[in-house]
Amino acid sequence: MALGSVRPKSGLEDRPTVTAPRAGRGPWRAARRRRRLPFVALGGLLVIVCVLGYAWGAVRLGDRLPVIAVARPVAAGQAFTAADLRQVSAAQDPGLQLIPAEQAQQVIGRTAVVPLVPGTLLTPSLVGEAAFPPAGKVAASLALKPGQYPQGLATGARVAVYVSATGTGDDGQAPANTKAAGSPVQLQAVVLGVDLAGDGQGATVITLLLDASDGPRLAAAPAGGVVLMQTAPGGN
């Protein structure tokens, strides 16, 4: 090539150099990352909810205990049998003293204090003594007319039972040809029930629990010879 000659330009020297984008970079990568963020947050929230739900369920299941429930209707005063009881699972409640299933044998033979329906959870207050009436006591029902018992008498009341040797007439007065043989005998009793429907002849049937030794005296009382007076709890 001679000196001073000019080499023709091909034009490639004037073109800008273009560099290909590296993998994993660029606006499209950032946009895809932003789209994934809500799903990641939602997934984390679901995990937390599942963990909390499992923990709550475990606590609830851990508080449930096997207890005794009534399997079929039981009348008041009826002794429990094995067929009357069944085991159920119930939540533990500090304010409710349920009878554990392991104490079922201690309930069999005892009596129901009130009428019970199937599904009732047994508590100590619903279970009475093994025998009724208790040893040394008797239950007696009397048909009494107004004036022989206080108005408003209710179950559980303590009463003084006055038994006289002579009865009274329909007007509440002793017969004219009869003299009282001494003062009335006073007995102590507890009211078990008051049946206002009575005997169908205008009398109210009142059931009493009293000492067995007083039973014969009460049974020998003539018609109209019994008067009840309510006493204070623990009083005479």
Side-chain angles (χ1 to χ4, degrees):
M1 178 179 299
L3 294 176
S5 62
V6 179
R7 183 180 179 180
K9 295 182 179 182
S10 61
L12 297 177
E13 292 82 354
D14 298 333
R15 295 181 181 180
T17 302
V18 179
T19 304
R22 296 182 181 180
R25 295 185 180 182
W28 62 275
R29 181 66 176 180
R32 187 171 64 176
R33 183 178 301 173
R34 286 195 297 270
R35 287 196 300 269
R36 287 184 176 180
L37 287 178
F39 294 100
V40 174
L42 180 60
L45 180 60
L46 290 176
V47 171
I48 295 175
V49 170
C50 291
V51 171
L52 292 178
Y54 175 81
W56 180 85
V59 171
R60 295 295 298 174
L61 290 176
D63 288 342
R64 300 186 71 85
L65 299 173
V67 297
I68 303 174
V70 178
R72 59 185 183 180
V74 179
Q78 177 182 337
F80 289 103
T81 65
D84 298 325
L85 309 175
R86 66 187 180 95
Q87 178 178 321
V88 298
S89 179
Q92 185 176 7
D93 187 352
L96 186 62
Q97 297 181 354
L98 300 178
I99 299 179
E102 60 188 17
Q103 298 181 11
Q105 291 298 325
Q106 301 178 20
V107 176
I108 296 175
R110 300 180 66 179
T111 57
V113 176
V114 296
L116 301 174
V117 297
T120 302
L121 300 179
L122 284 184
T123 63
S125 62
L126 298 178
V127 180
E129 297 296 331
F132 189 87
K137 298 288 185 178
V138 294
S141 295
L142 306 173
L144 304 179
K145 293 185 178 181
Q148 291 183 263
Y149 65 93
Q151 296 296 317
L153 191 64
T155 300
R158 294 184 176 273
V159 294
V161 184
Y162 292 94
V163 181
S164 62
T166 59
T168 57
D170 294 339
D171 58 357
Q173 301 295 325
N177 59 351
T178 304
K179 294 183 179 180
S183 301
V185 177
Q186 179 181 347
L187 312 176
Q188 299 297 322
V190 177
V191 178
L192 295 179
V194 178
D195 184 4
L196 298 178
D199 59 355
Q201 299 180 1
T204 298
V205 176
I206 299 177
T207 303
L208 302 176
L209 179 69
L210 65 161
D211 292 338
S213 59
D214 294 334
R217 297 180 181 180
L218 186 62
V226 177
V227 176
L228 305 183
M229 295 186 66
Q230 187 168 353
T231 60
N236 295 323

